Amino acid sequence: MSQRSANNPRNTKGDKSNVARKSAASAKPARTAGGSVRTAPAGSNASGLSRDERRAARNRERTQEDQIREVSQILLDSNPTYVSRRRLWWVFVGFGLGMVLVSTVIAFVLKQTDASTPGGMAGTVVLVLAYAGIIAGLVYDFVRIRPLRREADARAKSMRDKKRVELIAKDREERAARKAARKAGKGNK
């Protein structure tokens, strides 16, 4: 909106010459209505809690989230479909990164950067293969691995705290037993 001229007679009043009348916008209140009212976010019980109680509640929530994450990973590691799909994902990513390395060697060590030479053409083809491998790994992760991860997260969230703690303890015992067996196997050799 444009400002009116200060010389327009509609904007001047009596004793103030050459000064424009204040606009209606300046008549707005300095604060919004209810601006001093403090509200707690939805779903939080922070009102009425002391600082230490809020800190303890946050720590409990973090502990529960950590347990859910750990149980989810345990469920995924025990799923043979996830393990095989993850292995294939590593193949895609490893192939892509290997091709990046080969392309870098062609470009900088062999000094073959001109696309009209056979070496330059090979470097370009290898770089395209590198991108294809990395993009294939990303797409494979989104399409084939992520649904398994989400399913495991949902299962972990639906478990009771006691069941999660039991599952974590059982997994830690199994890992310790495998580690001891591996250590005993190395000691015999």
Side-chain angles (χ1 to χ4, degrees):
M1 187 159 111
S2 62
Q3 187 175 2
R4 292 183 178 155
S5 170
N7 295 329
N8 190 328
R10 290 179 297 171
N11 297 329
T12 58
K13 277 248 171 162
D15 56 4
K16 295 181 182 177
S17 61
N18 294 334
V19 176
R21 190 172 30 168
K22 287 189 173 184
S23 68
S26 66
K28 290 180 182 175
R31 314 183 287 207
T32 59
S36 63
V37 177
R38 182 182 170 273
T39 59
S44 77
N45 297 329
S47 59
L49 297 178
S50 70
R51 171 187 254 173
D52 292 333
E53 290 170 335
R54 285 192 306 261
R55 186 175 295 145
R58 275 196 308 262
N59 287 339
R60 279 193 303 272
E61 289 174 7
R62 287 184 190 131
T63 303
Q64 187 175 19
E65 290 171 3
D66 290 344
Q67 281 181 348
I68 290 171
R69 197 173 303 117
E70 190 172 351
V71 167
S72 176
Q73 191 59 48
I74 292 168
L75 293 173
L76 286 173
D77 290 341
S78 66
N79 185 348
T81 306
Y82 174 79
V83 172
S84 65
R85 288 182 182 175
R86 191 69 175 179
R87 201 171 287 140
L88 184 58
W89 177 81
W90 275 111
V91 168
F92 283 133
V93 171
F95 173 77
L97 293 177
M99 291 294 110
V100 166
L101 184 64
V102 170
S103 175
T104 304
V105 166
I106 290 171
F108 293 110
V109 176
L110 302 177
K111 306 277 192 226
Q112 299 289 323
T113 56
D114 187 15
S116 63
T117 64
M121 188 80 83
T124 304
V125 168
V126 169
L127 190 60
V128 168
L129 287 174
Y131 281 125
I134 292 171
I135 291 171
L138 286 173
V139 170
Y140 189 76
D141 182 59
F142 279 119
V143 173
R144 305 290 285 173
I145 296 174
R146 185 166 289 198
L148 294 175
R149 229 183 274 132
R150 286 188 176 159
E151 179 187 334
D153 288 344
R155 283 181 53 201
K157 285 179 183 175
S158 67
M159 287 182 182
R160 296 181 186 266
D161 290 338
K162 185 177 179 181
K163 178 73 174 170
R164 281 196 295 255
V165 169
E166 289 173 2
L167 192 62
I168 291 170
K170 181 181 172 187
D171 181 65
R172 288 184 180 161
E173 288 173 6
E174 289 174 359
R175 284 185 186 195
R178 283 193 305 257
K179 186 176 180 181
R182 211 175 14 226
K183 198 172 191 179
K186 285 183 179 179
N188 292 336
K189 290 183 181 180

